[in-house]
């Protein structure tokens, strides 16, 4: 604390202009350094962990981000109200907004990050490409012009040659990006990318790049002194992605030659020094298969989500470095003192459903059981309610070990032991990614998911059978009833004839009929096979729902006797009904009653967790009813459109 009080730019109190996991992360470093932390919250986050962890907390406004975490006036008022000296932006929201940086400085607040000029220069991918070229850093062939029309972009795509990538100039996180294979698909891609970029960043400017097929996504963690000097903390590999959003990150990059690594590091430092960058940043590159020349993609002028893997291999706290640099204090290390040790891998735990095309999930978190021995950065706890207003990332699980394989297997084991009952996550999917042959060999590229799961991801049938059986067994044991074989006293079980209990089970992955065999070793049987029900896992009750977690899977199960289920089974959803696959806000309705649609035609656009989802016609037909309107926020399974199928 003494250093910060006597620093050239003294800091006593830091307001964190963010929420969730990153807010908790920054608060932890502030506490260790003796700095007072201030959290901000929207009405959706009034009881969130970051609010209680901070020394003080201030309400910003209603749940929508535009009224709270993106409200610059509210953030500045909160900073003044609590006596903050500095603002840490975290990542996402306003972390790369040059106007926010300028507003902080104008109000006499220290912005913990780079200058507004550096943020503006790199915040525009179009401008960043120009600066990179001027610095001698190779960029992907493309076309950029701030006011380019669709015709100009189409002409450029034809010159560059398909396939191409449509990209938003502003923001990051994969939003506003579309892969285009042929000219006929370009107009729809431009429209969708503009809508997503405008919603996420308030800037719908697009540009086009040549699509580098199956590349690796590599990046370098840099830290500039603001005077033209910079350090690097080596590279990360972030090739495992879905829709250009990273899922698994690791450091150092596997199977990278020493020459290519040095090329990456030199290019990243050249760009960082050219703009006299100050603070933590990441310079991102792609590397084509069999190529040794990386191409510049963009620079993120903030702390990255994946910064823990760099911290673990380099033994540093990058948030502390940010605070020191903002206060005008010297950095505690020189370049020759930064020596990576071991290997670190991180997975992002998201509230989504991989088996349903990664649709966002919402609901309450009943408990958090973290595996021992791993770093677990989180913004949730028991009682947290995950809504549809913000990013779906809940937490990050990170393993560090002497070598890559040890880190990979430790992380896979950790995902098997992690339990977040109450909310659907991508936990089991991430475990399968870590165990996939391409990832195990360090050969992942950005098309890893389509190669490793060509038919989409589905849970391991044996693990699902075992966990469903355990759920059924736990329900029977908790509700024995007079007719249950568990309470029979007539010797039925002890005479060598195990009791068989036919049941119906409904859970996150569907519904099925199964049979429990209650012998010395209980078993479960259904169409996919038989499993012994040994080693009972954890379970939780929430009303008539049993939540159970084990072998990397978590289920929310309803179990009823089979005869009862057959009598009360609800009818199937009518063929012509389109229902909301997620809780979200309707942003566009493309049809009206009486319209004729073909299969695949867009009907409704919904937005949830900062992602845009276009819902299409499941078959040809005539629209008979539209039951939603733009601006409405609707829960999952709400009927949106009725379509009378064409005969």
């Amino acid at each position: 604390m003494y250093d910060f009080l006597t620093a050239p730019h003294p800091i006593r109190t830091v307001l964190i202009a963010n929420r969730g996991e990153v807010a908790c992360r920054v608060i932890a470093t502030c506490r260790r350094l003796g700095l007072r932390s201030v959290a901000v919250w929207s009405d959706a986050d009034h009881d969130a962990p970051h609010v209680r962890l901070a020394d003080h907390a201030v309400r910003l406004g209603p749940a929508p981000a535009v009224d709270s975490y993106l409200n610059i006036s509210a953030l500045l008022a909160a900073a003044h109200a609590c006596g903050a000296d500095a603002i840490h932006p975290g990542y996402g929201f306003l972390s790369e907004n040059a106007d926010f940086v300028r507003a902080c400085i104008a109000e006499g607040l220290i912005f913990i990050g780079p200058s507004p000029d550096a943020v503006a220069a790199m915040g525009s991918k179009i401008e960043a490409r120009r600066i990179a070229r001027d610095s001698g850093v190779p960029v992907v062939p493309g076309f950029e012009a701030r006011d380019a029309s669709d015709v100009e972009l189409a002409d450029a795509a034809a010159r560059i040659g398909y396939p191409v990538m449509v990209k938003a100039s502003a923001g990051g996180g994969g939003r506003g990006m579309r892969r285009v294979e042929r000219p006929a698909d370009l107009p729809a891609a431009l429209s969708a990318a503009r809508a997503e970029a405008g919603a996420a960043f308030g800037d719908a400017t697009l540009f086009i790049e040549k699509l580098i097929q199956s590349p690796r996504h590599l990046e370098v963690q840099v830290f500039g002194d603001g005077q033209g000097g910079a350090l690097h903390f080596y590279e990360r590999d972030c090739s495992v992605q879905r829709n250009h959003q990273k899922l698994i990150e690791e450091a150092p990059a596997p199977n990278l030659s020493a020459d290519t690594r040095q090329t990456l590091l030199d290019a990243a430092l050249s760009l960082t020094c050219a703009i006299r960058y100050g603070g933590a940043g990441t310079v991102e590159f792609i590397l084509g298969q069999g190529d040794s020349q990386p191409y510049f993609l963009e620079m993120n002028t903030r702390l990255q989500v994946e910064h823990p893997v760099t911290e673990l291999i380099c033994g540093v706290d990058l948030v502390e470095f940010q605070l020191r640099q903002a206060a005008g204090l010297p950095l505690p290390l020189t370049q020759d003192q930064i020596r990576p040790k071991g290997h670190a891998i991180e997975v992002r735990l998201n509230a989504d459903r991989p088996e349903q095309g990664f649709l966002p999930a919402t609901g309450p978190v009943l408990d958090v059981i973290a595996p021992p021995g791993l770093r677990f950065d989180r913004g949730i706890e028991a009682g947290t309610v995950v809504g549809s207003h913000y990013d779906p990332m809940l937490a990050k699980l990170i393993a560090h070990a002497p070598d890559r394989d040890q880190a990979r297997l430790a992380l896979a084991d950790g995902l098997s032991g992690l339990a977040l009952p109450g909310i659907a996550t991508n936990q089991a999917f991430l475990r399968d990614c870590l165990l996939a042959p391409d990832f195990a060999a360090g050969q992942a590229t950005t098309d890893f998911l389509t190669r490793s799961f060509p038919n989409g991801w589905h849970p391991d049938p044996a693990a699902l059978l075992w966990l469903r059986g355990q759920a059924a067994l736990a329900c029977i044991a908790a509700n024995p009833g007079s007719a249950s074989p568990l309470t029979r006293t007539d010797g039925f079980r002890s005479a060598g004839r195990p009791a068989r209990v036919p049941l119906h089970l409904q859970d996150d992955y569907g519904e099925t009929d199964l049979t429990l065999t209650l012998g010395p070793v209980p078993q479960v049987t259904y169409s996919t096979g038989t499993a012994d029900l040994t080693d009972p896992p954890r379970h939780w009750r929430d009303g008539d729902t049993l939540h159970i977690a084990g072998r990397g899977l978590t289920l929310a199960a309803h179990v009823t006797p089979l005869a009862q289920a057959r009598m009360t089974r609800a009818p199937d959803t009518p063929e012509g009904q389109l229902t909301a696959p997620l809780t979200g806000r309707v942003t566009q309705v493309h049809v009206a009653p009486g319209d004729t649609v073909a299969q695949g035609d867009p009907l409704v656009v919904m937005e949830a967790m900062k992602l845009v989802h276009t819902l299409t016609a499941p078959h040809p037909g005539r629209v008979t009813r539209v039951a939603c309107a733009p601006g409405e926020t609707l829960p999952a399974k709400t009927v949106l459109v009725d379509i009378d199928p064409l005969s």
Side-chain angles (χ1 to χ4, degrees):
M1 181 64 175
Y2 179 78
D3 281 347
F4 288 94
L5 287 176
T6 60
H9 311 296
I11 297 177
R12 300 170 182 81
T13 300
V14 179
L15 182 139
I16 299 102
N18 217 296
R19 65 179 297 278
E21 175 268 328
V22 68
C24 295
R25 165 71 187 88
V26 176
I27 290 168
T29 292
C30 287
R31 178 171 295 169
R32 182 175 62 80
L33 298 176
L35 298 173
R36 181 171 174 261
S37 61
V38 178
V40 290
W41 53 277
S42 73
D43 290 346
D45 284 337
H46 68 282
D47 197 32
H50 75 277
V51 175
R52 289 198 301 278
L53 284 172
D55 298 306
H56 186 67
V58 181
R59 178 184 179 270
L60 290 176
V66 69
D67 298 321
S68 51
Y69 299 106
L70 293 174
N71 187 331
I72 293 177
S73 296
L75 286 163
L76 296 176
H80 288 309
C82 67
D85 309 298
I87 291 184
H88 194 297
Y91 33 73
F93 293 127
L94 294 169
S95 61
E96 293 180 285
N97 185 305
D99 290 338
F100 181 49
V101 183
R102 293 188 185 101
C104 290
I105 295 170
E107 293 289 324
L109 296 162
I110 299 170
F111 181 79
I112 301 173
S115 70
D117 290 343
V119 173
M122 293 296 107
S124 165
K125 294 185 180 67
I126 291 174
E127 178 65 8
R129 282 169 57 88
R130 182 193 66 78
I131 294 172
R133 278 195 300 263
D134 292 347
S135 303
V137 178
V139 300
V140 179
F143 169 79
E144 64 270 355
R146 176 155 290 278
D147 298 317
S149 66
D150 284 11
V151 172
E152 290 174 307
L153 291 170
D155 289 344
R159 290 195 305 272
I160 295 167
Y162 287 86
V164 298
M165 185 70 77
V166 173
K167 289 188 174 183
S169 179
R175 295 177 179 87
M177 294 177 65
R178 293 293 187 277
R179 174 178 175 146
V180 184
E181 298 286 347
R182 54 185 185 151
D185 298 332
L186 185 62
L190 292 173
S191 176
R194 277 202 181 93
E196 194 166 85
F201 316 123
D203 182 348
T205 304
L206 303 177
F207 69 102
I208 286 181
E209 284 183 345
K210 175 68 178 175
L211 179 67
I212 306 297
Q213 302 276 17
S214 301
R216 296 179 69 179
H217 186 123
L218 305 171
E219 61 188 33
V220 177
Q221 176 70 61
V222 295
F223 205 103
D225 62 10
Q227 306 299 317
L231 302 173
H232 71 74
F233 291 82
Y234 292 89
E235 83 287 348
R236 299 183 286 252
D237 189 315
C238 308
S239 298
V240 178
Q241 304 176 4
R242 187 191 72 83
N243 287 349
H244 315 294
Q245 295 190 14
K246 301 164 188 173
L247 293 170
I248 303 176
E249 301 106 344
E250 60 182 308
N255 299 320
L256 194 66
S257 71
D259 288 345
T260 301
R261 174 172 287 114
Q262 195 60 51
T263 298
L264 281 173
L265 302 179
D266 291 345
L269 288 178
S270 177
L271 180 63
T272 305
C273 294
I275 60 172
R276 302 176 69 83
Y277 188 83
T282 297
V283 186
E284 303 200 353
F285 301 85
I286 56 171
L287 181 68
Q289 281 190 324
D291 199 355
S292 60
Q293 175 59 63
Y295 290 107
F296 169 76
L297 274 182
E298 62 182 341
M299 182 177 189
N300 291 306
T301 55
R302 54 170 166 80
L303 197 67
Q304 291 277 88
V305 174
E306 57 270 26
H307 75 276
V309 294
T310 295
E311 291 185 327
L312 288 172
I313 68 165
C314 292
V316 297
D317 180 338
L318 290 172
V319 175
E320 178 183 351
F321 276 45
Q322 288 184 297
L323 291 165
R324 291 182 64 88
Q325 196 271 345
L329 295 169
L331 298 181
L333 293 175
T334 58
Q335 187 66 68
D336 60 357
Q337 294 174 310
I338 303 171
R339 298 185 180 277
K341 294 181 180 178
H343 200 96
I345 310 177
E346 169 184 293
V347 293
R348 301 189 188 191
L349 289 153
N350 294 334
D352 61 28
R353 305 300 307 266
E355 79 287 355
Q356 295 181 16
F358 296 89
L359 286 175
T362 57
V365 179
L366 301 181
D367 203 353
V368 177
I369 308 296
L374 302 181
R375 177 168 167 173
F376 188 49
D377 288 11
R378 56 171 167 156
I380 55 169
E381 62 187 7
T384 297
V385 177
V386 179
S388 60
H389 293 289
Y390 312 119
D391 189 275
M393 193 180 79
L394 305 176
K396 303 177 305 195
L397 191 64
I398 312 104
H400 181 221
D403 61 48
R404 183 177 187 269
D405 217 40
Q406 290 181 66
R408 181 179 66 87
L409 295 176
L411 191 52
D413 286 346
L415 286 167
S416 293
L418 176 71
L420 299 172
I423 184 73
T425 75
N426 60 345
Q427 170 185 346
F429 159 75
L430 291 170
R431 180 179 180 274
D432 287 351
C433 288
L434 294 172
L435 299 176
D438 273 1
F439 189 85
Q443 300 293 340
T445 58
T446 55
D447 60 355
F448 166 80
L449 294 189
T450 56
R451 288 207 322 267
S452 298
F453 308 103
N455 299 314
W457 178 85
H458 300 281
D460 175 66
L464 183 58
L465 169 61
W466 174 81
L467 195 59
R468 281 176 160 171
Q470 295 287 5
L473 186 62
C475 284
I476 291 293
N479 299 284
S482 59
S484 169
L486 294 177
T487 61
R488 293 184 66 151
T489 58
D490 58 3
F492 181 74
R493 295 175 62 199
S494 60
R497 298 172 56 198
R500 290 180 173 83
V501 187
L503 299 167
H504 179 75
L505 183 143
Q506 185 175 8
D507 60 29
D508 310 68
Y509 297 101
E511 53 186 309
T512 187
D513 299 334
L514 53 82
T515 300
L516 281 183
T517 302
L518 301 173
V521 177
Q523 291 183 325
V524 61
T525 302
Y526 66 73
S527 58
T528 61
T530 299
D532 290 347
L533 301 180
T534 54
D535 302 322
R538 295 176 179 265
H539 64 269
W540 299 256
R541 283 202 164 273
D542 181 21
D544 62 351
T545 303
L546 183 133
H547 298 266
I548 192 163
R551 298 187 183 177
L553 291 171
T554 302
L555 300 180
H558 297 262
V559 180
T560 53
L562 182 58
Q564 176 184 333
R566 285 173 173 166
M567 289 188 294
T568 60
R569 189 166 289 167
D572 293 336
T573 301
E575 179 187 2
Q577 281 192 349
L578 176 75
T579 59
L582 69 165
T583 297
R585 185 171 66 90
V586 176
T587 58
Q588 295 180 63
V589 177
H590 290 291
V591 292
D595 288 352
T596 299
V597 296
Q599 182 176 354
D601 282 354
L603 303 180
V604 176
V605 179
M606 297 186 73
E607 184 179 328
M609 293 184 172
K610 296 169 36 176
L611 295 175
V612 175
H613 306 268
T614 300
L615 310 181
T616 60
H619 50 68
R622 185 175 63 87
V623 176
T624 59
R625 181 173 70 117
V626 175
C628 62
E632 289 186 315
T633 298
L634 302 174
K637 300 183 180 179
T638 300
V639 176
L640 304 175
V641 178
D642 285 333
I643 304 173
D644 186 10
L646 293 178
S647 56

